[in-house]
Amino acid sequence: MKVLIVEDDRSQRALLTLWMKGEGHRVEAFEDGRSLIRFLESATADLLILDWNLPDISGEDLLRWIRGRRHGSLPVIFQTVHDREEDIVRILDAGADDYLVKPLQKLTLLARVRAVMRRAPSLSDGQNTLEVGNVTLDERSQTLATSALTLAPGDKEMAIAWQFARRVGQVVLRQQLLAEVWGFSPDIETRTVDMYVSRLRTKLRQLQADWQIHSVYGAGYRLELSREEGTDYPASPPATRTE
């Protein structure tokens, strides 16, 4: 496999790299979150081992960014010194596939890696797609497709579509999109988010998609699916005031 390691401690990073290479894996190691983000803009991997405490962006925020991008299905094992139940729950709710409390033990880590990979879809098997309603999102080709058409939106539009697809019926806050699509970039304003959502809506109309992206007053957006008789879509939460 191709394994990514994000760990700011040099000796720990070297040790994890040694362990993974000893199992025959290819390894890319990074000392901070921004380096990983730059790597994932143009590359893929099979597994990420991620530290909570990073010098530039928290591991939790980095994980949420990953889950909102084209790498949303990348298996992630969190390593952390935090062992409180509420911290562990937060990590798992943010999208981690598993976690280990430091100091790590080699055999335990390798066993967790094997367990996570047994559960994870393989990119090489072409299972890096998500189907929501009549729309198929493809990570590898960066496309949105229906039976009518296939389109390749821009990176930001694709990332926003992935956010909505993972949260059908839920309110996605503008702040969430800023954090997970733009990585907390301070020079991005909410009207920029609105502009990209508008572009995505245009693409969805071209695709004849059954997606309906509603603006939620004072908050963000919610994706609903146009229901047809006999179609079982996820239930929506209670009605929220919309613009």
Side-chain angles (χ1 to χ4, degrees):
M1 299 187 300
K2 187 171 187 177
V3 178
L4 307 181
I5 297 170
V6 184
E7 167 62 67
D8 64 324
D9 183 273
R10 180 180 299 178
S11 60
Q12 181 74 3
R13 189 167 65 247
L15 183 61
L16 291 173
T17 299
L18 180 65
W19 288 352
M20 291 297 103
K21 286 187 174 181
E23 295 297 301
H25 304 308
R26 292 171 292 128
V27 177
E28 293 281 350
F30 308 93
E31 63 181 357
D32 57 51
R34 297 295 176 187
S35 298
L36 175 70
I37 288 173
R38 286 193 293 271
F39 177 85
L40 288 178
E41 290 290 351
S42 60
T44 60
D46 300 297
L47 175 69
L48 169 62
I49 300 175
L50 177 61
D51 188 30
W52 180 311
N53 297 313
L54 297 172
D56 56 346
I57 179 173
S58 77
E60 182 180 0
D61 289 337
L62 185 56
L63 175 59
R64 292 186 187 278
W65 180 86
I66 290 169
R67 289 295 180 244
R69 305 287 289 183
R70 64 190 180 93
H71 304 281
S73 61
L74 176 66
V76 176
I77 297 178
F78 232 103
Q79 53 164 337
T80 175
V81 296
H82 304 277
D83 58 0
R84 296 184 305 168
E85 182 179 13
E86 54 266 38
D87 290 328
I88 293 170
V89 168
R90 205 163 86 228
I91 290 170
L92 296 175
D93 283 345
D97 296 277
D98 205 345
Y99 72 94
L100 287 168
V101 177
K102 293 182 177 181
L104 303 187
Q105 302 296 319
K106 178 181 177 180
L107 295 182
T108 301
L109 172 62
L110 296 180
R112 295 291 184 91
V113 167
R114 291 192 294 270
V116 165
M117 296 313 297
R118 282 196 298 268
R119 300 194 300 266
S122 171
L123 292 180
S124 62
D125 291 338
Q127 298 176 8
N128 53 335
T129 60
L130 181 64
E131 294 185 10
V132 178
N134 70 342
V135 179
T136 299
L137 299 87
D138 191 296
E139 290 182 322
R140 180 171 296 165
S141 64
Q142 285 290 277
T143 57
L144 300 173
T146 63
S147 59
L149 189 64
T150 297
L151 293 175
D155 287 347
K156 296 293 188 294
E157 294 159 41
M158 189 71 187
I160 292 171
W162 201 265
Q163 287 291 327
F164 291 147
R166 292 173 61 86
R167 298 182 175 95
V168 177
Q170 301 178 31
V171 174
V172 180
L173 303 177
R174 286 183 176 88
Q175 289 83 354
Q176 284 179 287
L177 294 174
L178 283 170
E180 298 173 7
V181 176
W182 280 271
F184 293 104
S185 179
D187 58 347
I188 299 298
E189 300 179 1
T190 55
R191 65 174 178 268
T192 301
V193 178
D194 296 336
M195 179 186 69
Y196 277 95
V197 171
S198 177
R199 291 179 181 177
L200 176 59
R201 284 174 170 149
T202 299
K203 298 290 195 309
L204 294 172
R205 286 194 292 270
Q206 292 175 313
L207 288 168
Q208 300 177 31
D210 59 4
W211 288 24
Q212 299 293 325
I213 300 174
H214 300 285
S215 298
V216 179
Y217 181 78
Y221 304 93
R222 184 178 63 232
L223 171 62
E224 299 284 357
L225 302 178
S226 302
R227 297 173 182 269
E228 297 180 0
E229 185 176 354
T231 302
D232 185 18
Y233 293 141
S236 301
T240 306
R241 179 182 174 187
T242 58
E243 297 173 340

